[in-house]
Amino acid sequence: MDTLPVVIVRPGEADRLLAGHPWVYAASIMRLTKPAEPGDVVQVKDHRQRFLGIGFYNPKSKINVRLLTQEREDINLAFFERRIRAALALRTKHMPKATSFRVVNAESDFLSGLIVDKYEDVLVLQTSSLGMDMRKAEIIAALQRIFKPRAIVERNELASRKFEGLADANGVIAGEIEGDIDVKLNGLSFKTNPLGGHKTGLYLDQQANYQRVAEMSKGAQVLDCFSFLGGFAIHAAKEGAAHVHALDQSADAIKAATENAAANGVANKCVFEEANVFDWLKAQSTVGPNEKLLPKYDVIILDPPSFTRSRSAVGDALRGYKEIHLRALKLLKPGGTLATFCCSHHVDSTLFMDVILTAAFDAHKVLRRVETFSQSPDHPVIPSIPETEYLKGFAFEVAR
Ligand code: SAH
């Protein structure tokens, strides 16, 4: 342990690391005590030589060190097994009935650079840092011991890998798998193919919210905007919605959602329409000079993709968010519920709330907030690592 190269950070940098944030940027580093190779394990100390932790070194990345632990411990198979078991215990505590969930969510589980999703008996692995990627064999061995999975699949085509000097990699790395997996979310069936194709990317982060929004939808006429594989729509239909109209611009998503609805026995209550939500909402909420708009929906769900990947595009994103909220509010019946989500890192919950209130003002509606949503507990939020929080949402009733 004491033979490891030591990265000394500048004065003032230690507190953030002590508070739990795992990234040491190049600019925070004062010096190294001896050369380290990309991917090596290093110690991190402050300028007074106080030990701060151990992590992976990669000078090719803007993040030079990703801390893994504040203890003096070896980073080996036993370490990964302990950490993954601890992450699993959290899921079991907070989502006792779930059979598909994110087992390891990188920084949220103090394993920066590692994501593991469990789709029933198949595990999907992503390694986005060089140090983690180099230790895939130990990670796979730990996963085998804990889960005894039917297969482990690698889905490593992330843009972030390029910053670490890693090439794309995709395929089965342990066991065997053929065709789709029938993934259960809250006991409902969703088909996905972990190896790719059009059915990839079944999101797990809304699992808790599917159920909560569904419970608000009993007997309701529901509109699900940006429906993807039908997560919200099918949960609502199953929980007793009178009818669900779902919109997505992707033909593949519409096809998959239609099949998912049938597999869950709610095809008769759901319509999945291929449409651009902006155009559709505009057409539905625009009336002629002597016409009156008759709101049709008791519940409207807005779960769009992130409208901005960069801080500079936040203005455009906010205009987009405002537009869909304004239109949706016009289509909501008095007393109806708007369940709305924002997964953009650059739009925080205060800013998101501001946009919604501006839209409500323009629509001449007063809203009552009845629920606040976050990502499901398998994507834990660590407030001292702000990057771990990205999904926020609210349910509002139209108060008047
Ligand atoms: N609610 C979904 C996640 C939505 S992801 C769930 O719980 O799984 C975003 C979806 O929005 C994608 O399926 C994408 O095809 C769709 N989309 C993006 N822009 C769109 C637009 N302008 N109109 C309609 N759908 C859009």
Side-chain angles (χ1 to χ4, degrees):
M1 183 71 44
D2 291 330
T3 61
L4 292 176
V6 181
V7 169
I8 315 264
V9 296
R10 294 184 190 284
E13 296 293 334
D15 279 359
R16 187 177 48 87
L17 305 177
L18 286 169
H21 203 288
W23 298 347
V24 182
Y25 295 102
S28 315
I29 295 177
M30 202 150 77
R31 65 186 173 87
L32 262 76
T33 55
K34 62 179 179 189
E37 291 297 316
D40 275 357
V41 172
V42 293
Q43 293 188 69
V44 176
K45 293 185 176 177
D46 75 1
H47 66 291
R48 294 207 177 91
Q49 299 289 330
R50 279 178 300 205
F51 176 79
L52 297 172
I54 289 173
F56 290 139
Y57 180 67
N58 186 4
K60 288 181 199 154
S61 162
K62 220 164 51 177
I63 303 170
N64 271 199
V65 183
R66 292 166 184 266
L67 284 175
L68 295 163
T69 173
Q70 297 186 344
E71 308 289 323
R72 293 175 196 272
E73 59 186 322
D74 291 324
I75 308 304
N76 52 20
L77 169 56
F79 167 82
F80 286 115
E81 186 175 345
R82 271 195 312 278
R83 276 297 170 83
I84 298 169
R85 280 194 194 279
L88 176 61
L90 266 188
R91 278 66 181 168
T92 313
K93 177 180 175 193
H94 292 288
M95 308 175 77
K97 292 193 189 135
T99 53
S100 290
F101 48 84
R102 179 154 289 189
V103 177
V104 174
N105 190 39
E107 282 78 12
S108 292
D109 291 295
F110 308 109
L111 287 168
S112 179
L114 179 65
I115 288 179
V116 181
D117 286 329
K118 176 178 181 302
Y119 293 118
E120 303 303 309
D121 55 358
V122 174
L123 298 175
V124 177
L125 181 83
Q126 295 178 28
T127 44
S128 62
S129 78
L130 177 67
M132 234 12 129
D133 199 71
M134 284 167 60
R135 283 153 190 90
K136 234 162 22 192
E138 279 118 306
I139 296 166
I140 292 167
L143 292 171
Q144 302 272 28
R145 279 193 193 172
I146 301 167
F147 294 96
K148 305 186 177 46
R150 172 159 62 102
I152 303 178
V153 172
E154 167 177 30
R155 288 304 307 265
N156 272 325
E157 308 134 310
L158 310 153
S160 53
R161 277 172 63 95
K162 298 202 176 52
F163 303 121
E164 294 270 334
L166 292 164
D168 286 354
N170 196 359
V172 179
I173 42 179
E176 277 177 46
I177 174 170
E178 223 174 274
D180 290 345
I181 307 177
D182 182 15
V183 174
K184 300 280 188 216
L185 300 178
N186 303 299
L188 302 188
S189 283
F190 293 85
K191 287 259 188 319
T192 192
N193 187 329
L195 281 174
H198 298 304
K199 287 182 188 159
T200 51
L202 173 66
Y203 299 118
L204 296 168
D205 56 357
Q206 290 279 30
Q207 184 162 192
N209 299 332
Y210 289 152
Q211 195 57 37
R212 287 160 79 187
V213 174
E215 278 154 19
M216 300 174 183
S217 306
K218 289 189 196 329
Q221 293 289 334
V222 177
L223 178 66
D224 178 9
C225 300
F226 310 95
S227 54
F228 192 45
L229 305 180
F232 282 106
I234 293 165
H235 277 79
K238 198 76 186 176
E239 202 63 45
H243 189 264
V244 184
H245 194 122
L247 307 169
D248 200 288
Q249 71 182 8
S250 150
D252 290 327
I254 292 298
K255 183 167 175 285
T258 307
E259 287 167 12
N260 286 334
N264 289 290
V266 291
N268 58 334
K269 281 202 214 174
C270 301
V271 169
F272 292 94
E273 184 184 350
E274 185 185 333
N276 180 313
V277 167
F278 286 86
D279 298 343
W280 193 94
L281 287 177
K282 188 170 183 185
Q284 294 287 318
S285 60
T286 306
V287 286
N290 296 316
E291 287 171 342
K292 198 169 180 306
L293 183 67
L294 272 186
K296 279 194 285 200
Y297 298 103
D298 303 294
V299 173
I300 299 183
I301 299 151
L302 299 175
D303 183 24
S306 171
F307 288 152
T308 167
R309 301 251 170 248
S310 69
R311 200 165 289 283
S312 57
V314 165
D316 285 343
L318 294 180
R319 273 185 286 281
Y321 285 118
K322 180 175 171 194
E323 162 89 10
I324 53 174
H325 285 87
L326 175 63
R327 303 278 178 195
L329 284 170
K330 289 186 178 175
L331 296 176
L332 206 52
K333 289 187 202 165
T337 303
L338 177 70
T340 179
F341 297 89
C342 171
C343 61
S344 168
H345 273 289
H346 302 288
V347 177
D348 67 11
S349 123
T350 313
L351 197 50
F352 186 46
M353 175 72 92
D354 278 353
V355 177
I356 299 166
L357 292 184
T358 318
F361 181 85
D362 287 3
H364 310 294
K365 309 262 185 189
V366 177
L367 303 177
R368 179 191 308 121
R369 195 185 72 203
V370 292
E371 275 255 29
T372 303
F373 303 112
S374 181
Q375 56 227 41
S376 287
D378 52 345
H379 296 62
V381 176
I382 309 287
S384 58
I385 315 175
E387 295 82 357
T388 57
E389 182 170 23
Y390 66 97
L391 183 66
K392 47 262 157 198
F394 303 107
F396 295 102
E397 288 168 359
V398 178
R400 62 186 164 86

